Amino acid sequence: MDWGEFLSRHLVWDQGEHVTLVGKTGSGKTNLAQQLLPQRDFVCAIGTKPKDETMLSLIRKDKYRRIREWPPPTVIGARSQRIALWPRFERPEDVVEQQRVIDAALREIFAAGGWTIFADELYYLCRFLGMARLFEVFWSQARSIGITVVGGAQRPAWLPLMAYSQATHLFFARTTDHRDVMRLGSLGGNDARLIADTLGSLRQYEFLYINTVTGDLLITKPEKR
Ligand SMILES: Nc1ncnc2c1ncn2[C@@H]1O[C@H](COP(=O)(O)OP(=O)(O)OP(=O)(O)O)[C@@H](O)[C@H]1O
Ligand SMILES: [Mg+2]
C-alpha cells in the first residue's frame, strides 16, 4: 500500500494503542516512527545516546523541546507538547543518572496519563538500563489510562514478548534470520508461514504492517522525510 494512503486513510491509531517496530540497523525504523508521531498530541521522546541523531532531528524538524529532567515546563491549556527527554550523557558514569532520570520520568508519565512515549532504543532501555519490567507495565496496563508506547528494536528476541502481544500496530522490516522469523511468525495467531515468507521478500525500507486487533496485514514503504 502506498505510504501516503496508509498514513492518511488506512492507519487507525488511537491513543492508548502501542506501536512496535523491529528491523536491523538502517532498515528505516526511526524514519517511519517519526512520521507516525505527528498524529499524537503529547509526545515524550527518550534520548539515550550522547549524540542522538533521532533527538537532534526531532528537535530541529519537529520543534521538540529538549529537557534534561522531567517534568517539562507547564504550558497552561496546551493542546500538544513535544518533549525530548535527553538526560546528560557525557561520561560513562552518567548512565547512573540517565537511568534515574528516565525511570522517574516514566513513573510520572504513567501517573499523569495521556502521553505517548517514543522509545527508539528499547533494547538499551529494557536490557541495559534494566527497565523491561517498567515497560511491561506500560504495555500491559497503559491502555486504560491512554498511554501509548512507540518503541523500536533491531532484533525481535531483544524485546519482551509484551512488546508484541500488547501492541496493536507492528512494523517489521526484512529479515531472513531463522530465529527472527520464528519469533515474529509466531506472534498474534497469524499465519506463521505467510509472515516468514513475507519477511524474507521485503525490499529495502519496506515494512510488513500487522494490526493485531483487526488482523490486517500489508506491506508499505515510508517515504524518506
Ligand atoms: N523509506 C526510506 N527511503 C529512503 N531512505 C530511507 C528510508 N527510510 C530510511 N532511510 C534512510 O536510511 C537511513 C537509516 O534509517 P533509520 O535511521 O530510520 O534506520 P533505523 O532502522 O532507525 O536504524 P537504527 O536501528 O540504526 O536506529 C537514514 O539515513 C534514512 O534517511
Ligand atoms: Mg533508529
Side-chain angles (χ1 to χ4, degrees):
M1 182 179 291
D2 174 73
W3 176 246
E5 188 183 339
F6 173 76
L7 212 51
S8 61
R9 282 197 286 279
H10 191 83
L11 178 69
V12 179
W13 178 29
D14 291 329
Q15 183 64 19
E17 294 180 349
H18 307 306
V19 178
T20 299
L21 307 107
V22 180
K24 62 181 194 298
T25 183
S27 59
K29 300 181 296 296
T30 301
N31 178 64
L32 193 166
Q34 287 179 333
Q35 295 183 55
L36 299 180
L37 291 172
Q39 296 198 6
R40 302 269 64 93
D41 294 325
F42 291 85
V43 183
C44 173
I46 300 175
T48 53
K49 291 181 269 194
K51 293 205 173 61
D52 199 315
E53 291 301 329
T54 305
M55 290 299 123
L56 292 174
S57 117
L58 289 173
I59 291 166
R60 207 171 45 234
K61 292 191 188 161
D62 299 312
K63 307 277 182 288
Y64 278 54
R65 177 202 279 262
R66 178 176 187 173
I67 60 170
R68 290 199 184 272
E69 188 147 7
W70 200 262
T74 320
V75 184
I76 307 283
R79 298 224 184 127
S80 85
Q81 250 182 310
R82 306 204 171 270
I83 304 298
L85 175 67
W86 193 4
R88 178 194 308 279
F89 192 170
E90 283 153 18
R91 304 178 56 82
E93 59 268 30
D94 289 342
V95 294
V96 177
E97 179 69 356
Q98 179 189 50
Q99 204 279 345
R100 184 192 68 75
V101 167
I102 295 173
D103 184 90
L106 290 175
R107 288 165 199 279
E108 291 297 323
I109 286 171
F110 189 92
W115 284 85
T116 294
I117 300 161
F118 177 35
D120 202 27
E121 303 283 347
L122 271 177
Y123 175 72
Y124 182 87
L125 292 166
C126 287
R127 295 293 168 87
F128 188 73
L129 293 188
M131 296 181 170
R133 282 295 298 277
L134 192 48
F135 272 92
E136 284 174 323
V137 173
F138 276 102
W139 281 312
S140 59
Q141 305 298 330
R143 196 162 305 177
S144 56
I145 52 170
I147 297 232
T148 291
V149 177
V150 177
Q154 293 167 353
R155 294 287 306 271
W158 289 356
L159 291 184
L161 273 175
M162 277 191 196
Y164 311 103
S165 61
Q166 300 294 325
T168 306
H169 310 276
L170 306 175
F171 292 90
F172 299 147
R174 174 186 168 82
T175 179
T176 51
D177 181 284
H178 182 65
R179 282 161 308 168
D180 288 0
V181 166
M182 293 292 286
R183 177 94 182 225
L184 297 177
S186 65
L187 300 168
N190 279 294
D191 180 340
R193 184 68 182 273
L194 173 67
I195 291 186
D197 291 347
T198 307
L199 287 174
S201 73
L202 294 173
R203 296 164 191 232
Q204 190 174 35
Y205 305 131
E206 282 183 349
F207 283 84
L208 171 63
Y209 167 74
I210 303 176
N211 186 308
T212 60
V213 174
T214 63
D216 239 15
L217 287 176
L218 60 87
I219 296 169
T220 187
K221 181 182 164 190
E223 282 144 27
K224 185 169 154 48
R225 63 170 221 144

